[in-house]
Amino acid sequence: MEGMKQTFLLTSILALSASFFISDVTFGANSDIIINEIGGFPMSTKWIEIWNKGSEPVDLIKVKGRGWKLWDPTVVNGHNLTVSTTDSIVAAGEYAVIVQDATQFLMNYPNFTGSIFDSSFDLKKKDGGVVGLKDDDGNFTETTTYPGGLTYSWERKDPFLTDYTSANWQEHASGDTLGFQNSNYGITAETAPTTTGTPPADTTTASHSLPTIPSTSSLWAQIKINEFLPNPDGGDEWIELYNSATTSLDLIDGLLCDNRETSCTIATTSGTIAAEGWATFFLNGSHLNNSGDSVILKNPDGLMVDQVTYGTDALKTPGKNQTIARKNDGVDTDSEADWAITTSLTPGTGNTIVAPPAPAPPTNNGGGGGSSSGGSAGTTPATPSALSIPTSQKNTTSTAKIPAKGLPASRQGAGGDQVKIIWKISAPRTAAPQEIAELNAAGSADPRGGAIFTSWNLGDGTTIDGQSVQHSFAASGTYRVVVSATSTQGTTGQQTFLITVAAGLSTRHGEVLISEIFPNPPGADQGEFIELFNSASASISLAGWKLETNNGKGFTIPEKTSINPGGYLVFYRAATRLVLDNTKESVTLKTPDDVVADRVTYNQSEPNQSLSLRNDEHGWTTEITPGFLGVSAGQVLGEKITVSKVTPALPTVARPTRTPVHLALAEARSLKKGSAVSVQGVVTVPPGAFSEHYFYIADDSGGLQIYSSKKDLPPVAAGDKINIAGQLSQANGIPRLKIASVRAVDILATKQTLEPEKLTLEAIDDGVAGKLVAVNGEITDIKGNQLYLDDGETEGVVYLKTAAHIDKSRLKSGDNLQVIGIVEQTKNGWQIWPRANNDIQLITNSASSQTSNPNNGPTTKYVITTVGGLSLLAAAFILQKKLVQK
């Protein structure tokens, strides 16, 4: 009996000791959520794609403050996950992603449709690392190691194998498959292997066949960047694409980018590009740097299709109004030799290379010769007045210089004449096919006082004489219009501009505005209305135009409805049946082709006030004026308004009343409201980090908030150096520079050094207002979104802005922190605003559990369990020896 007891004891000890040799990285019950791909290495925002390979949805954040975690060896308990724009449930078969910054991730990958989880991890590109997942019970579901030096994503070979070693992973050949099945397997759930082990050596079996490449992928590969204008002389920058395929392609959701890693997208492509044809995209704002940059084309999946970099020794930067163009349309040998700088701008047509003139030689001032008006050697010459016209647009009746009609040759302007026509041109930049466009140069003048004769080469083979002409373009495209003139005094001149013609680009679209919205009238809601205003000088037909609200409801404006110049139409709820929400509403005006002509959004309506347009801004007012802007309403006829014959004052764009003065940021902050200034600085807080209405810049003197009431902000990133002009204003006592539109911003350079200024809390004063600073201290209290920080001398306030998505659950009183953020003086005193989770670094926590407790790390746990197992084994061997001896 005693021997049986001893044998049972020995067996129990051996079984218990064996359990100690199971690694601490054990796998929980739910192994359906896996790490499937790790990427984003060319950009600063990395991502970890996870996939639910099971048949049931999984909620990664079941209870507030508790849920799944992303693990790495630096954080024992793991990084918390939060969601903002999506839900926390990963559906069966859904691809989700864990990122450091959801807002920035969506800028880089706008087409991603899965759940997005924020976390505070940091992947190190050069060194590689280990990441893992813990479920809501704290169990590891898996860990994986990714190598250093990755260029493309690190993707799992077979998601159904429980093989977590590098044998089941590889680097993608050319990009990533974010949100889609990985490139190296084609397994379906029905054919998925159920056994564990290493992947088979042969992955070309039926269950591992490569996925079929969509037909559009091969077509996108034949789309080339063909010409681009980075430094226009007025007007927009633009990028031209060429389709070298024999099949047309829908360009919807392609991406045009520059070399900025953190906010790649500068434009989204759309429309159709014909076989062996061109498509030109005009950029809203300043994106392509004059000193050098890259132009990048990506397909809708975010994969790079083409790229060209200029500002190098091999491909110089072009001058003002010069383009970089392929020498042969669409011919790509991946060499700078494919490209040339040209003074011939040919968007939408075949490239014509006209080399810029060489710099003028030094002027010889000896021998009594006068100095040249052209300047000294090395000065960039002006663009020639006579730009070459592509062969496809040349017309035998139009030349670079038009002889004066009926004048002797002696009266015609000489080639070296420095006096030119002073132009005043009115012409649309867009038009619809067959729409009559009006072009007018009647205000142009000759400094010599002569009468002017004008000729228009319209770029479609048509030439028309006259100071004011009308023309309709038969087909869609971008037309290069050249207007030339000479006077009876022999003075000449020439101007060139572009008109883009396409369905939905009527010259009238931008001239009809939503001028007043009345969403919250007293009593019955039948008094709600939406008012439109025509800022054009001609009547516009609104037949078929649409008014839409947030809930998807719409009203189509009836046939035979037109709006007079300077006139108003009021659409009441009784006619539209549109219900205006008192909170978070958006009213959109669309053309019959579903082109957005105007959109007005508000978050909270004011009772018995209308949202009215004044000086190009909408604001709440108690002056309810349906049918007139601050004037008597006129006669109401159903939904139509008849205004008096006196044309009311048109809404005007708010502009500075004087020429902007260039100032340092600290000096600009001190000026009174309404001052027009121009400033330069490096972006410290990009748009969206704190608000969709503003961002921050800084220079050596201070920092300043840049604000747009219309959210019309440039796609700048932290580290971009910009020049910006606007009007000073204030909000809650904080100075800010208000800009009229994105066009007020010019990006001068990218990737500038951006270091916060290290300060004590006591040193915070007006001298650092608006700057990016770094402070250290201990959390003494947490109240709502405010952390009270004490550095031993002074207590300060760290305020966590909602848009920054900072996880405060990881912070506790007693923690010692380093905080980086913008410092501003609010009505409640000085505050520091961190931009993201990474701006708050834990030095030591209140219990020092994660930094000093030797029993927390997984390695230590494994050592403890191993030692425990060895102890039990030793006990077992001693017991066995005693049994043998007996």
Side-chain angles (χ1 to χ4, degrees):
M1 187 70 175
E2 183 68 24
M4 290 180 63
K5 288 182 177 180
Q6 291 173 333
T7 302
F8 174 76
L9 179 60
L10 174 62
T11 304
S12 299
I13 292 175
L14 287 172
L16 182 60
S17 64
S19 69
F20 277 91
F21 287 94
I22 300 175
S23 168
D24 185 63
V25 185
T26 57
F27 299 102
N30 190 333
S31 58
D32 288 338
I33 302 295
I34 66 167
I35 296 174
N36 195 53
E37 190 172 6
I38 302 173
F41 293 105
M43 291 173 281
S44 61
T45 302
K46 314 300 189 297
W47 48 262
I48 298 174
E49 179 194 72
I50 58 178
W51 183 47
N52 183 357
K53 66 179 182 180
S55 58
E56 298 293 331
V58 179
D59 191 344
L60 299 192
I61 309 178
K62 292 182 179 178
V63 183
K64 185 177 181 181
R66 183 183 179 190
W68 286 55
K69 293 185 177 182
L70 182 71
W71 175 87
D72 68 47
T74 65
V75 180
V76 173
N77 294 321
H79 304 276
N80 290 322
L81 303 179
T82 60
V83 293
S84 54
T85 58
T86 60
D87 60 37
S88 62
I89 297 174
V90 182
E94 179 184 355
Y95 293 90
V97 69
I98 302 173
V99 300
Q100 295 165 295
D101 185 338
T103 302
Q104 189 60 62
F105 171 80
L106 284 172
M107 292 179 68
N108 293 339
Y109 300 93
N111 298 318
F112 185 77
T113 58
S115 296
I116 301 174
F117 296 89
D118 268 337
S119 190
S120 57
F121 71 96
D122 185 22
L123 301 181
K124 304 298 183 183
K125 176 182 177 183
K126 293 182 178 179
D127 303 330
V130 181
V131 292
L133 285 176
K134 281 187 172 184
D135 63 19
D136 47 11
D137 291 324
N139 297 320
F140 280 95
T141 62
E142 70 167 301
T143 62
T144 187
T145 300
Y146 62 94
L150 291 171
T151 300
Y152 304 114
S153 74
W154 185 242
E155 59 178 1
R156 203 175 189 120
K157 291 181 180 179
D158 192 332
F160 298 101
L161 291 178
T162 55
D163 179 3
Y164 306 100
T165 69
S166 59
N168 199 24
W169 290 79
Q170 72 174 24
E171 184 175 9
H172 191 285
S174 59
D176 61 65
T177 56
L178 178 63
F180 297 93
Q181 177 177 280
N182 290 355
S183 67
N184 44 24
Y185 66 85
I187 306 171
T188 62
E190 291 76 12
T191 60
T194 56
T195 59
T196 61
T198 58
D202 182 7
T203 58
T204 59
T205 62
S207 61
H208 291 73
S209 60
L210 293 176
T212 302
I213 299 175
S215 60
T216 55
S217 297
S218 58
L219 290 177
W220 269 97
Q222 299 185 66
I223 306 299
K224 302 297 179 183
I225 300 166
N226 203 55
E227 185 180 8
F228 56 93
L229 176 65
N231 190 4
D233 187 10
D236 292 325
E237 300 171 346
W238 50 262
I239 299 172
E240 176 196 75
L241 305 180
Y242 180 77
N243 181 10
S244 58
T246 56
T247 304
S248 62
L249 175 66
D250 190 345
L251 293 177
I252 189 168
D253 290 336
L255 304 174
L256 290 170
C257 312
D258 59 5
N259 70 353
R260 192 174 296 107
E261 293 182 352
T262 53
S263 57
C264 155
T265 306
I266 57 178
T268 302
T269 62
S270 60
T272 300
I273 185 169
E276 300 179 351
W278 299 264
T280 306
F281 296 91
F282 292 85
L283 309 183
N284 183 17
S286 177
H287 301 273
L288 303 178
N289 297 324
N290 299 342
S291 59
D293 209 334
S294 292
V295 180
I296 302 169
L297 173 65
K298 295 185 177 182
N299 67 18
D301 294 329
L303 300 180
M304 186 182 297
V305 175
D306 196 15
Q307 176 178 1
V308 58
T309 299
Y310 63 97
T312 66
D313 290 339
L315 186 57
K316 305 294 186 182
T317 56
K320 180 73 74 175
N321 222 40
Q322 298 174 4
T323 64
I324 296 179
R326 287 192 187 272
K327 297 175 182 177
N328 298 289
D329 293 88
V331 175
D332 184 11
T333 64
D334 288 329
S335 168
E336 287 85 353
D338 296 336
W339 300 90
I341 297 175
T342 176
T343 60
S344 175
L345 282 60
T346 59
T349 62
N351 291 346
T352 302
I353 307 301
V354 179
T363 301
N364 183 2
N365 290 327
S371 63
S372 168
S373 62
S376 62
T379 304
T380 302
T383 302
S385 61
L387 298 179
S388 67
I389 302 173
T391 303
S392 59
Q393 295 186 13
K394 289 182 180 178
N395 189 291
T396 55
T397 63
S398 175
T399 59
K401 190 187 302 179
I402 307 296
K405 296 185 178 180
L407 296 178
S410 60
R411 297 294 301 276
Q412 297 177 15
D417 193 351
Q418 298 302 310
V419 178
K420 300 295 180 184
I421 298 293
I422 298 174
W423 290 101
K424 184 175 181 181
I425 299 174
S426 172
R429 291 169 55 190
T430 63
Q434 307 298 334
E435 179 184 21
I436 296 178
E438 297 182 356
L439 302 94
N440 194 326
S444 304
D446 174 14
R448 294 189 173 101
I452 295 176
F453 297 90
T454 308
S455 179
W456 304 78
N457 184 323
L458 298 163
D460 61 353
T462 305
T463 299
I464 307 176
D465 292 339
Q467 290 189 325
S468 297
V469 301
Q470 293 182 333
H471 183 66
S472 61
F473 296 89
S476 297
T478 300
Y479 296 88
R480 179 174 177 263
V481 177
V482 180
V483 53
S484 304
T486 188
S487 78
T488 54
Q489 289 294 319
T491 310
T492 64
Q494 186 181 80
Q495 288 288 297
T496 303
F497 57 92
L498 305 173
I499 297 179
T500 302
V501 179
L505 294 184
S506 168
T507 61
R508 311 275 190 242
H509 285 177
E511 298 174 337
V512 180
L513 309 171
I514 299 172
S515 52
E516 191 170 4
I517 301 173
F518 191 36
N520 196 358
D525 286 340
Q526 292 303 315
E528 294 179 356
F529 67 78
I530 301 168
E531 176 195 80
L532 305 182
F533 170 70
N534 179 11
S535 64
S537 58
S539 295
I540 297 175
S541 172
L542 295 184
W545 288 49
K546 302 166 191 172
L547 288 168
E548 295 179 355
T549 54
N550 255 356
N551 60 10
K553 302 292 183 181
F555 167 73
T556 301
I557 299 177
E559 295 296 322
K560 299 182 180 179
T561 304
S562 62
I563 184 168
N564 293 329
Y568 296 80
L569 295 180
V570 181
F571 297 89
Y572 285 95
R573 177 172 170 177
T576 66
R577 300 185 181 274
L578 295 178
V579 178
L580 298 176
D581 200 333
N582 291 337
T583 59
K584 299 192 81 168
E585 183 62 274
S586 180
V587 179
T588 303
L589 174 65
K590 291 184 177 181
T591 70
D593 300 316
D594 279 334
V595 175
V596 175
D598 198 12
R599 178 179 286 129
V600 177
T601 301
Y602 58 88
N603 291 323
Q604 179 68 50
S605 65
E606 298 293 336
N608 201 25
Q609 293 188 31
S610 70
L611 189 60
S612 187
L613 183 68
R614 298 290 191 278
N615 293 326
D616 203 38
E617 289 187 32
H618 286 84
W620 295 102
T621 177
T622 56
E623 298 181 22
I624 317 301
T625 58
F628 235 82
L629 188 63
V631 191
S632 176
Q635 183 181 2
V636 179
L637 303 174
E639 76 262 14
K640 191 171 182 177
I641 295 297
T642 303
V643 299
S644 65
K645 294 181 180 179
V646 179
T647 302
L650 306 185
T652 56
V653 177
R655 290 188 174 90
T657 55
R658 59 185 177 85
T659 303
V661 177
H662 189 78
L663 299 173
L665 294 180
E667 188 177 0
R669 289 180 67 100
S670 66
L671 296 181
K672 64 180 181 180
K673 291 194 298 182
S675 300
V677 299
S678 172
V679 296
Q680 284 187 10
V682 176
V683 176
T684 52
V685 182
F690 289 160
S691 168
E692 294 180 343
H693 284 282
Y694 64 83
F695 62 100
Y696 268 84
I697 64 173
D699 62 11
D700 291 338
S701 70
L704 185 63
Q705 184 183 120
I706 309 301
Y707 172 80
S708 168
S709 61
K710 298 179 289 186
K711 304 180 184 179
D712 189 13
L713 297 175
V716 293
D720 288 352
K721 183 179 181 180
I722 64 174
N723 189 89
I724 190 163
Q727 198 168 16
L728 288 172
S729 63
Q730 277 193 356
N732 300 317
I734 297 176
R736 64 190 187 186
L737 184 65
K738 180 180 173 183
I739 61 175
S741 74
V742 70
R743 298 178 185 278
V745 178
D746 185 21
I747 301 174
L748 305 176
T750 62
K751 300 180 182 179
Q752 301 299 292
T753 302
L754 188 66
E755 294 292 338
E757 185 173 340
K758 295 182 179 180
L759 298 174
T760 62
L761 292 171
E762 189 176 18
I764 292 177
D765 56 21
D766 289 337
V768 294
K771 273 192 165 185
L772 188 70
V773 302
V775 298
N776 288 8
E778 178 185 341
I779 298 179
T780 58
D781 197 5
I782 301 177
K783 293 182 179 179
N785 278 3
Q786 294 188 132
L787 307 179
Y788 291 85
L789 208 65
D790 193 325
D791 64 0
E793 298 292 336
T794 307
E795 187 176 66
V797 175
V798 176
Y799 185 79
L800 310 180
K801 285 188 169 287
T802 302
H805 301 299
I806 294 175
D807 178 17
K808 65 178 180 181
S809 65
R810 64 188 177 102
L811 305 174
K812 298 178 179 60
S813 294
D815 289 351
N816 283 292
L817 309 175
Q818 181 188 69
V819 179
I820 296 173
I822 296 296
V823 60
E824 281 285 16
Q825 187 171 29
T826 70
K827 292 182 178 179
N828 298 319
W830 289 100
Q831 292 182 349
I832 299 171
W833 302 341
R835 302 161 296 177
N837 277 312
N838 289 342
D839 277 347
I840 300 180
Q841 297 295 326
L842 188 66
I843 300 173
T844 59
N845 63 17
S846 55
S848 299
S849 60
Q850 294 184 9
T851 56
S852 61
N853 188 342
N855 298 329
N856 276 344
T859 303
T860 306
K861 287 182 180 180
Y862 181 78
V863 170
I864 291 173
T865 56
T866 304
V867 171
L870 291 173
S871 299
L872 284 173
L873 279 178
F877 283 120
I878 293 171
L879 179 59
Q880 184 185 30
K881 185 175 182 181
K882 288 183 178 181
L883 289 175
V884 171
Q885 289 173 350
K886 287 184 178 182

